[in-house]
Amino acid sequence: MLRFSKIASSRIVKSSSSKLWLPVSQRFQASSSFPAALTAAENLVQPQKSNQFDPFTMVSGEMRVLAKNIAVLLGSGHPTLNRVASYYFEAEGKNVRPLIVLLLSKALSKIPESERTRIVIDQYDVNTQEEFKGTPKAFSFAGQNPLDSISPLRVLNGINPSIILNPLSKPMIDLENAELDKKNGILPKQRRLAEITEMIHTASLLHDDVIDLSDSRRGRPSGNIAFTNKMAVLAGDFLLGRASVSLGRLRNSEVVELMSTAIANLVEGEFMQLKNTVFQPNLNQIENDNTVKQIPEPTGKVPAKVSEYSVPTTNLITHEENVHAAFEYYLHKTYLKTASLMSKSSRSSAILAGCNEDVVEKCYQFGRNLGLCFQIVDDMLDYTTTAELLGKPAGADLKLGLATAPVLFAWKEMPELGPLIGRKFSQPGDVGLAKKAVDDHNGVGKTRELAEKYCSDALANLRCLPESDARSALEFLTNSVLTRNK
């Protein structure tokens, strides 16, 4: 990842239009602003004496120890499982999701405590024996540290607790990190939330690469290639299991509910992508790799609800209605697959800070709009950039049969694309025709405009927070999502 030394040393100016702190050297470098913004935002988590007035020196400490802390949570008694589960954390990933949680947590700390009355917030180092203040009384456990186990370790492990074999019997936090949290206004629970969020996201990457038959991720062989499909799937499951343990130890039932729902949303979104009911209304069939598989008829014992996005037949609706339904389906799938985790972790951070309902909701909407913007830009980059820049295969969406925003915009102007979308671009020449249609009808430009709308909405959501360096960093990061090239 790029270092931010040049930006930190350059002259900083304040933009009157967006109220963002932007370095002069980066204001007109669209192609490189996203990596710079990530690095800048990372640096916003730890104050540094040498640059105490630089707005981009806040959260680097937490980001530096992110992978280390996750490794403590992940370790198992099997060395190969450890290797597969930690594989994606070894590479230089974007780490956008935990970065958002940490920056938002710091920004929320600027709200006076008198205005944060939803719950009594955490005031103590979690390693002390003081009563933990960040959990509603109904969910407190007398005499227990909130990051310690609730059930006996012999029950959790299935064996006598062993410090060597199982991290469930290791300390979950160290004093050095706790002191850093205090300096930055980031609650220990919020930092753990950031780690949980990245674990959930990484588990989804392991599973997605198996489903999509990907051969690269973050500039190296994907987990399914480096190991096997089975090991990649199992490692993803293991990550989700460990994330669930850590989530339960936060002892906030609302946050557990939110983040658990985000995990379910990832699966729902993947099913929406695999089985596009807008173009494949036959719910008794699964189309995959140019083959059709008949699925078992339901027995009626469990009622099966038909998706609200199902279209009985395209012959009974107009082209405009069909396109509208497809866009609704696409945006909902995008929310489930990408924006849900960002929005629910953002909302959870505000809940843990004890914020009132209006701020909690604005934080949720910020994560939702930023997540939608992020994925829409990702879909756009699939048409405009190279595999080397992306760190994963480029131009993969059409080959996978996915109708994302660029081709949907082209279809709106060119109805004859409908049959190609319906058969998932499976016939020879379909991919080439779709790409040409995107170029001819400015599908990429219109997709950028859609992303800009969600970016603008996300920036508006942030205005509920007091002005601070952390808020400026979030605004800078949000703007940079639009100009990233990977």
Side-chain angles (χ1 to χ4, degrees):
M1 183 172 289
L2 299 176
R3 297 286 60 152
F4 198 56
S5 56
K6 290 183 179 179
I7 296 177
S9 62
S10 66
R11 182 166 60 91
I12 306 293
V13 297
K14 194 168 185 179
S15 167
S16 59
S17 61
S18 60
K19 297 185 179 180
L20 306 180
W21 287 98
L22 296 176
V24 172
S25 61
Q26 288 294 316
R27 290 176 71 190
F28 303 106
Q29 296 181 17
S31 64
S32 62
S33 64
F34 186 65
L38 286 177
T39 307
E42 285 179 7
N43 290 336
L44 270 169
V45 196
Q46 178 179 345
Q48 299 175 5
K49 292 181 180 178
S50 59
N51 293 305
Q52 58 182 333
F53 300 113
D54 185 344
F56 296 125
T57 51
M58 279 186 236
V59 288
S60 58
E62 279 86 350
M63 294 303 295
R64 279 198 300 270
V65 299
L66 179 73
K68 171 188 170 184
N69 290 345
I70 289 175
V72 172
L73 300 178
L74 287 184
S76 79
H78 199 292
T80 307
L81 177 55
N82 289 342
R83 183 78 183 89
V84 187
S86 62
Y87 181 65
Y88 281 170
F89 296 106
E90 297 171 350
E92 289 287 346
K94 299 184 186 76
N95 294 331
V96 174
R97 290 154 188 83
L99 188 57
I100 290 168
V101 172
L102 293 172
L103 284 173
L104 187 58
S105 298
K106 186 168 181 64
L108 290 166
S109 72
K110 303 301 180 183
I111 300 175
E113 288 187 17
S114 60
E115 298 176 19
R116 290 187 276 156
T117 57
R118 200 169 186 268
I119 61 172
V120 181
I121 60 172
D122 175 10
Q123 298 292 337
Y124 298 99
D125 174 3
V126 295
N127 278 308
T128 69
Q129 295 303 309
E130 302 278 358
E131 180 186 4
F132 185 66
K133 303 292 184 182
T135 305
K137 290 286 185 183
F139 304 104
S140 296
F141 295 82
Q144 292 187 331
N145 183 299
L147 298 181
D148 286 342
S149 64
I150 300 172
S151 301
L153 287 172
R154 61 177 179 78
V155 174
L156 294 179
N157 292 336
I159 55 174
N160 290 329
S162 167
I163 292 178
I164 297 175
L165 287 180
N166 203 304
L168 293 178
S169 50
K170 295 179 182 178
M172 300 284 280
I173 190 170
D174 57 60
L175 288 172
E176 180 183 354
N177 290 334
E179 288 302 313
L180 185 63
D181 291 334
K182 281 185 176 181
K183 287 180 182 179
N184 296 328
I186 297 172
L187 305 177
K189 278 188 171 186
Q190 291 171 321
R191 184 169 60 78
R192 182 48 45 88
L193 173 66
E195 295 158 5
I196 292 168
T197 301
E198 185 64 5
M199 290 165 69
I200 294 171
H201 171 61
T202 304
S204 75
L205 296 184
L206 283 163
H207 289 162
D208 283 354
D209 286 345
V210 172
I211 293 167
D212 296 339
L213 305 175
S214 299
D215 56 13
S216 63
R217 169 73 66 178
R218 295 175 177 173
R220 63 198 308 212
S222 56
N224 48 304
I225 297 297
F227 302 96
T228 62
N229 281 344
K230 289 182 180 179
M231 286 190 176
V233 170
L234 290 171
D237 293 345
F238 182 72
L239 277 171
L240 292 176
R242 282 287 193 255
S244 298
V245 172
S246 298
L247 188 58
R249 290 178 181 179
L250 294 182
R251 290 167 168 82
N252 186 300
S253 58
E254 187 173 3
V255 172
V256 171
E257 180 182 60
L258 281 167
M259 298 301 290
S260 298
T261 304
I263 296 174
N265 288 160
L266 289 168
V267 180
E268 291 178 275
E270 194 61 46
F271 260 83
M272 286 187 74
Q273 184 163 291
L274 288 172
K275 176 67 176 173
N276 191 334
T277 54
V278 170
F279 300 108
Q280 301 165 31
N282 190 340
L283 298 178
N284 296 319
Q285 293 179 349
I286 298 175
E287 297 180 18
N288 188 42
D289 297 332
N290 300 325
T291 61
V292 177
K293 179 181 177 62
Q294 197 74 20
I295 63 176
E297 290 286 339
T299 63
K301 198 170 184 179
V302 179
K305 183 180 179 181
V306 177
S307 167
E308 62 183 292
Y309 293 108
S310 297
V311 179
T313 170
T314 57
N315 296 326
L316 299 180
I317 62 175
T318 66
H319 172 64
E320 288 74 19
E321 290 172 328
N322 209 6
V323 172
H324 177 75
F327 263 108
E328 288 291 311
Y329 190 95
Y330 164 73
L331 289 173
H332 187 52
K333 178 200 72 175
T334 300
Y335 169 78
L336 293 172
K337 279 179 62 67
T338 303
S340 174
L341 185 57
M342 288 187 182
S343 62
K344 289 174 180 173
S345 60
S346 296
R347 185 180 178 93
S348 295
S349 181
I351 289 169
L352 293 174
C355 295
N356 295 337
E357 283 299 329
D358 180 63
V359 174
V360 169
E361 179 62 22
K362 289 287 176 52
C363 288
Y364 168 77
Q365 292 297 337
F366 164 72
R368 177 184 181 276
N369 288 316
L370 181 61
L372 289 170
C373 176
F374 189 93
Q375 186 58 53
I376 289 168
V377 170
D378 220 44
D379 295 340
M380 181 181 70
L381 289 177
D382 195 63
Y383 286 81
T384 62
T385 193
T386 64
E388 289 74 22
L389 283 173
L390 282 177
K392 58 184 179 181
D397 286 348
L398 288 174
K399 295 174 184 176
L400 290 170
L402 303 181
T404 57
V407 78
L408 290 179
F409 277 116
W411 178 42
K412 186 176 181 179
E413 305 298 327
M414 187 177 172
E416 53 267 36
L417 278 179
L420 280 69
I421 296 173
R423 61 178 179 251
K424 295 188 173 183
F425 315 105
S426 58
Q427 293 185 11
D430 282 358
V431 170
L433 287 171
K435 285 182 177 178
K436 186 177 185 305
V438 169
D439 291 338
D440 291 345
H441 297 284
N442 193 27
V444 169
K446 292 172 182 176
T447 299
R448 177 176 291 280
E449 291 175 3
L450 181 63
E452 287 172 350
K453 172 196 174 295
Y454 286 109
C455 176
S456 177
D457 290 345
L459 291 171
N461 297 139
L462 287 174
R463 293 185 194 123
C464 71
L465 304 175
E467 287 194 16
S468 67
D469 289 344
R471 195 187 94 170
S472 294
L474 284 168
E475 292 169 336
F476 182 74
L477 185 62
T478 301
N479 274 317
S480 300
V481 166
L482 285 173
T483 59
R484 66 192 180 98
N485 57 14
K486 62 179 180 178

